[in-house]
Amino acid sequence: MKRIITSLLFVSMSIISLSVKAQVSQTPLKIDLSVKGADVQPTMWGLFFEDINFAADGGLYAEKLKNYSFEFDNPMMGWNRVEENQANGYTYAMSYTVAGPNKKYIQLKRLNAIGTLGLQNSGFRGIGLQKGETYRLTFQARKVSGNAQLVAQLIGSEKALLGTAVQKQLTSEWTGYELSIPCSETDKNARFRLLIEGEGTIDVDMVSLFPYSTWKDRKRGMRKDIVQLLADMQPGFLRFPGGCIVEGFDLENRYQWKKTIGDMAGREVRVNRWNTEFGHRPTPDYYQSFGIGFFEYFQLAEDIGAAPLPILSCGLACQFNSGEIVQMGADLEPYIQDAVDLIEFANAPANTQWGSVRAEMGHPAPFNLRFIGVGNENWGPQYIERAKAFAEVIKARYPDVTIVSTSGPSPEGKEFDYLWGELKKMNAEIIDEHYYRQPEWFRENANRYDKYDRNGPKVFAGEYAAQSVFTVSPDNQNNWNCALSEAAFMTGLERNADVVHMASYAPLLAHVDAWQWKPDLIWFDNLSAFGTPNYYVQKMFSTNRGSYVVPVTHDNHSVSGQDNLFASAVVDTATHELIVKIVNTAQNSRKINIDLAGKFKLAAKGTITEMAADDLAVINSIEEPQKIAPAESEFEPGKKSLVIEVKGQSFSVAKIKIK
């Protein structure tokens, strides 16, 4: 029996030993620091913003009230009539006698002085209120008759009164009013009431509620928590306003930047094209107030240190929808003029036509626009002829502005090949490629740009996201499998920085209760926001951009998936650091032995930031916002080497000072 036990023990220890060896395999790599590769563009890693998933109204834009100006097709959408405790009166939707973008207002008529009468707004799937926060209520009003007054209330989800303010005196002319409402409790699903007290009739319009605490404390500003997540990424650019929303489902519905600037009363509210786009997530209450318009996009880009990249309609509506087209010649000229005027709005002195508009909005200095996109996911000869017309005029007026062209909605196929061929003939500067594919595609295509023409147009990886199921599925998840696969793909983008000049995940934002498309980089509800695993992958690249690429090889080949390993490396000349990015898609841990060639001296210690999970299906959530997130530790290098142990199914960024 003892011999059997001893034999079994020997076998067990052998199995454990073999298991340990299997779990921590060793992989030799080489980095030659004497070989300076391609420069990494300051714009390499950036942000793609589109108003989908309630990303603007109900999200980034801190406005609490839906349909604040009563300009939805149904002017009462978002509002409910309140008539309680024997109150007697009426509410009417009224039209202004003078035509303009702001067409409707509401009349409140009170016939007795008892009970509660007025309007209630439910916000965007509820109104998020914070205890101790003070809210700024602004509105337009005029007294029509009687001596009634207006009372504003914050009502909790359990119907408790959380805050109130009163406007007693009203004039008989349209006048702007402002009230402050302190809030006594935190509530994610609160309501707002505007009530008429006493007898009489009052007209109201532009009823708006914001926290005083917004990004940079701007009046009518943006949510601090969401912008902070964007700023933390240190993005190289901000692309706006989309996306398919640029094109519209028809040309009337396209994004028109001139209608999104100036005073809010002059911004024309429009139905959002995503409100009925997906049968699995219909959102008929999804409109655009344009509280975030082109001025605010430029301002946001400036705030977070990102180069602005506006995309404009080229005269083609979405070819998946109506495919409506503007004829060449005189009909297309207003579209081209919009592009020229936008550059003037962004860059020209304050004494020019459009520069003066920018200055009047509070920004006399130029925004330094260096890029402009013509079209989004358009294809066919009709796109090429319009792209040529835009380029001819833009380059004649503004030769230093780089034009971004589109390669259509797919990363391969007949239309993709046709557009690339024609755009090369045009000497296109940057071509926008989009990829929404499953995780395997991203791992298999990490070497996509290794064989691209080094002297041809540069690439903007403008929209990409791994799909856990398949594109346009409500079951898609922002899981670690997707994020890890994106990290593998991104090492290929970085390795080919001489070809790829810009890259951005898409879409950027989504409301947990009001989304249309999954997956998305950042999710939020009415009170908080969190980054997905994909967000942290993007952040680990963008905050470790570096200055130029150095080659990472295994057996004299780039490390792009052999034995489930992906790697790239850069040198940062500002911080004097070598930065190595390693993706291990295998389940087992491994030691990475990196031999360093060249003349250099290493610091005594380096840092490694790692994300890893045994479960590829793990996700973050409102309840567990950092279930998977980066963790940092230190490592000690050899004299001429780095020895880094990486976990299974991990993405690691190793940094060390070099001289």
Side-chain angles (χ1 to χ4, degrees), residues 239 377 404-412 416 420 430-435 441 448-449 452 458-464 489 493 499-500 502 504:
R239 171 181 170 165
E377 289 192 352
V404 177
S405 308
T406 179
S407 63
S410 300
E412 66 272 316
F416 177 87
W420 257 96
I430 299 181
I431 298 179
D432 182 11
E433 296 187 357
H434 294 179
Y435 352 85
W441 184 95
R448 176 183 177 90
Y449 296 106
Y452 263 50
K458 303 309 177 185
V459 170
F460 173 27
E463 297 185 33
Y464 60 87
F489 181 74
L493 301 184
V499 170
V500 182
M502 312 174 90
S504 53

Side-chain angles (χ1 to χ4, degrees), residues 521-536:
L521 198 64
I522 296 169
W523 288 80
F524 59 90
D525 64 10
N526 292 333
L527 290 178
S528 61
F530 69 91
T532 60
N534 318 71
Y535 167 84
Y536 289 111

Side-chain angles (χ1 to χ4, degrees), residues 410-427:
S410 300
E412 66 272 316
K414 180 182 69 174
E415 293 293 351
F416 177 87
D417 293 339
Y418 167 77
L419 288 171
W420 257 96
E422 294 299 312
L423 289 168
K424 274 189 176 183
K425 294 176 190 176
M426 290 170 51
N427 295 317

Side-chain angles (χ1 to χ4, degrees), residues 1-57:
M1 177 65 72
K2 184 177 180 181
R3 180 178 297 175
I4 294 173
I5 292 173
T6 303
S7 299
L8 289 173
L9 182 61
F10 175 78
V11 170
S12 298
M13 292 300 292
S14 299
I15 291 172
I16 292 170
S17 177
L18 289 171
S19 175
V20 169
K21 288 180 181 178
Q23 288 174 3
V24 187
S25 59
Q26 297 195 17
T27 304
L29 302 181
K30 180 180 179 180
I31 294 178
D32 193 342
L33 291 170
S34 67
V35 178
K36 181 180 181 296
D39 290 335
V40 180
Q41 298 299 311
T43 56
M44 183 65 178
W45 310 111
L47 302 173
F48 166 98
F49 181 89
E50 179 160 10
D51 191 1
I52 188 172
N53 307 311
F54 281 67
D57 293 298

Side-chain angles (χ1 to χ4, degrees), residues 14-214:
S14 299
I15 291 172
I16 292 170
S17 177
L18 289 171
S19 175
V20 169
K21 288 180 181 178
Q23 288 174 3
V24 187
S25 59
Q26 297 195 17
T27 304
L29 302 181
K30 180 180 179 180
I31 294 178
D32 193 342
L33 291 170
S34 67
V35 178
K36 181 180 181 296
D39 290 335
V40 180
Q41 298 299 311
T43 56
M44 183 65 178
W45 310 111
L47 302 173
F48 166 98
F49 181 89
E50 179 160 10
D51 191 1
I52 188 172
N53 307 311
F54 281 67
D57 293 298
L60 185 62
Y61 190 45
E63 171 68 76
K64 297 293 184 181
L65 304 183
K66 181 166 57 185
N67 191 16
Y68 79 100
S69 61
F70 309 103
E71 295 302 312
F72 287 14
D73 291 340
N74 172 4
M76 289 299 292
M77 182 174 278
W79 296 89
N80 294 317
R81 185 169 179 267
V82 177
E83 187 175 1
E84 300 170 347
N85 301 322
Q86 301 181 9
N88 186 9
Y90 303 93
T91 58
Y92 305 99
M94 309 287 285
S95 297
Y96 288 103
T97 56
V98 178
N102 189 31
K103 304 176 181 69
K104 302 285 186 182
Y105 63 93
I106 297 297
Q107 186 169 94
L108 305 174
K109 188 176 183 66
R110 185 76 189 246
L111 300 178
N112 66 357
I114 61 173
T116 304
L117 181 72
L119 299 172
Q120 178 170 285
N121 193 289
S122 54
F124 300 91
R125 307 300 187 269
I127 296 175
L129 300 175
Q130 297 278 5
K131 181 179 180 179
E133 177 67 85
T134 300
Y135 293 86
R136 176 188 282 118
L137 173 68
T138 58
F139 57 92
Q140 298 282 324
R142 66 179 177 186
K143 179 178 66 176
V144 179
S145 64
N147 290 301
Q149 62 184 17
L150 291 173
V151 177
Q153 295 180 343
L154 305 177
I155 304 294
S157 52
E158 301 299 323
K159 298 184 178 180
L161 180 63
L162 306 184
T164 188
V166 179
Q167 181 62 51
K168 295 182 178 180
Q169 301 297 323
L170 298 167
T171 69
S172 58
E173 301 294 329
W174 281 110
T175 304
Y177 297 92
E178 181 174 314
L179 298 174
S180 295
I181 312 177
C183 181
S184 60
E185 297 293 338
T186 296
D187 198 311
K188 187 171 70 173
N189 293 297
R191 300 290 184 267
F192 168 79
R193 283 185 170 186
L194 185 66
L195 307 174
I196 179 172
E197 289 189 348
E199 295 185 28
T201 302
I202 299 173
D203 293 336
V204 295
D205 198 4
M206 308 294 286
V207 184
S208 179
L209 185 69
F210 277 81
Y212 276 85
S213 179
T214 61

